Amino acid sequence: MSPEILAVLGIPLAGGAVLALFGHWKRAAEINIAFSSATFVAAAALVVRVVDRGPFASFENQLFVDALNVFLVALTAFVAMTTSIFSRPYMRIEQEHGKLTVARLRLYHSMYQLFSFTMLLVLLSNNLGVTWVATEAATLTTVLLVSLYRTPASLEAAWKYFILCGVGIAQALFGTILVYLAAGKVLGSGMDALLWTELAQVRGSLEPTVMSIAFVFLLVGYGTKVGLVPLHNWLPDAHAEGPTPVSAVLSGLLLNVALYALVRFKVLADGALGAEFASRLLMGFGILSVAVAAFFLSRQRDIKRMFAYSSIEHMGLITFAFGIGSPVAAFAGLLHMTVHSLTKSAIFFAVGHAAQKTGTQVMEDIRGLVKVSPTVGWGLILGTVAILGMPPFGVFASEFLILTTAMREQPWATPILLVSLGVAFAAVFGKVQPMVFGETTAKRLPHPPALVPVFLHLALALMLGLYIPPYLASWYREAARLIG
């Protein structure tokens, strides 16, 4: 096996085992950070190898790396590392407030590493079956993380998440079996019929009827994990009731990973059926998610639920971009995946501290953050402005590319997108602005919280709005070519 891939997968797996044994130590949070940082370094080494030598397979072709998945591996490892840094002071305060015991902290740290491992395995797997197993394992680890507080609300949210995603992933299993059957006539009944690399070479020869049915099941299955409407009901509850670091990795990472699997299947479906079948389904579900989520935003009172609906809206927009299918739309979708992950995780970091300091997630009860804690207040308002697509942040650049491409190639969708984005802007900004700048009688906090991850993420999102480094732009273009 490639040493880079071995490190990327082996470090978080070993981290989960170590923290399961020693997660009760006082330095468990630092151990968690160390393993997450080592995983990011390994991911960076993997990126260097792919840039230098191109795509390659490993472990008897069971693992595969190309421009598309190595980009997501790097993003996943980076956000997982910064979230582990944020979670160190956050989870300790939760323990001081009596919300968590030492045993639950051990569970949190060990499951955090296993969650990172399962996401990276989904991205690196060349085997459809292993991809499905890793996705299901990611579901199981996050169920334990969402229910960490053991309150009736968190247990209900975890149960809803488990049932809905369990049913969804069962549909994905059926779709995977159908793809295997469609490939069996071309590749035989061996292991090759489950490998992405082999399937991509013969996608034009796959049985069209079977592939059309398979893609519908796969869209329902993996679309549930993405949070596409009407399969989204688990997502707001899981965000609202789980610990804030879990909300950050759910929005910033897990949704991307599920969408990655769906995009890989779209490539196969396009080869067997032509581009229109899968594209229309993705565009339909994507634009429905944008519109429904935008109008639900104005009805939320819980700040984490509101930003959960914002995640649904943005994943719908990315799905719509991939549905368009052109190189520019795919480029915009990949850019939007990046800036959404960075910005939304930064927002949840700021929201976590705000809710922790005020003792509530109800937006009407949170006021004057800029006076109580300027770093939290400015982090939240800058993150909100960024995620709403205001220039010069990167979300503006990616949304502009998606909208202009839609105007040219799918003009019917442009009015729906513009109205939905306008409604979302008014709803979110109208609720966040008084939280940050409203009047409050609370005293200023004596010590500012550690919010380096917030401003690091926002700085990267700002950079991607002003300037995309040439190597990163070529990376996006190569990944967009693979999707097309």
Side-chain angles (χ1 to χ4, degrees), residues 266 279 321-332 405-406 408-409 480 483-484:
K266 178 185 180 293
S279 293
F322 288 139
I324 294 176
S326 68
V328 175
F331 181 98
T405 306
R408 184 177 68 252
E409 300 187 24
I483 296 170

Side-chain angles (χ1 to χ4, degrees), residues 23 64 69 85 94 107 131 162 181 238 282 318 334 351 379 391 433:
F64 177 72
N69 60 1
I85 295 171
E94 295 291 272
L107 176 66
T131 298
F162 176 71
L181 291 176
L282 288 180
I318 298 167
L334 293 169
V351 164
Q433 189 271 338

Side-chain angles (χ1 to χ4, degrees), residues 167-192:
V167 171
I169 209 70
Q171 310 303 311
L173 175 61
F174 188 61
T176 303
I177 294 171
L178 289 176
V179 172
Y180 177 75
L181 291 176
K185 295 181 179 179
V186 184
L187 297 171
S189 58
M191 186 64 73
D192 287 353

Side-chain angles (χ1 to χ4, degrees), residues 143-315:
V143 164
L144 295 173
L145 290 170
V146 169
S147 64
L148 194 68
Y149 290 133
R150 296 296 190 271
T151 62
S154 67
L155 291 171
E156 179 184 349
W159 183 247
K160 182 184 291 187
Y161 172 49
F162 176 71
I163 292 297
L164 290 178
C165 288
V167 171
I169 209 70
Q171 310 303 311
L173 175 61
F174 188 61
T176 303
I177 294 171
L178 289 176
V179 172
Y180 177 75
L181 291 176
K185 295 181 179 179
V186 184
L187 297 171
S189 58
M191 186 64 73
D192 287 353
L194 284 173
L195 301 180
W196 293 114
T197 48
E198 298 295 330
L199 289 165
Q201 293 178 15
V202 300
R203 60 184 182 270
S205 303
L206 299 177
E207 173 59 41
T209 305
V210 177
M211 281 300 299
S212 62
I213 300 171
F215 188 77
V216 171
F217 278 100
L218 292 163
L219 178 58
V220 172
Y222 286 105
T224 304
K225 298 285 290 184
V226 178
L228 298 178
V229 174
L231 313 165
H232 67 287
N233 290 325
W234 65 270
L235 200 148
D237 288 343
H239 281 66
E241 302 304 333
T244 299
V246 177
S247 302
V249 291
L250 278 175
S251 265
L253 301 180
L254 182 62
L255 307 186
N256 282 355
V257 169
L259 185 56
Y260 159 81
L262 197 54
V263 168
R264 286 287 200 196
F265 281 112
K266 178 185 180 293
V267 173
L268 301 182
D270 286 348
L273 305 164
E276 294 217 350
F277 179 80
S279 293
R280 286 177 177 175
L281 283 173
L282 288 180
M283 284 191 293
F285 275 94
I287 204 163
L288 178 64
S289 300
V290 174
V292 171
F295 283 94
F296 266 99
L297 282 168
S298 61
R299 300 178 56 186
Q300 304 309 309
R301 297 179 66 246
D302 184 297
I303 185 169
K304 289 174 71 176
R305 287 183 68 89
M306 182 179 73
F307 282 113
Y309 275 103
S310 172
S311 294
I312 295 170
E313 175 205 3
H314 285 279
M315 295 312 294

Side-chain angles (χ1 to χ4, degrees), residues 71 96 109 161 206 208 219 223 225 239 246 293 340 370 379 428 436 438:
F71 141 70
E96 291 171 4
H109 291 308
Y161 172 49
L206 299 177
L219 178 58
K225 298 285 290 184
H239 281 66
V246 177
H340 174 258
V370 77
V428 175
V436 176

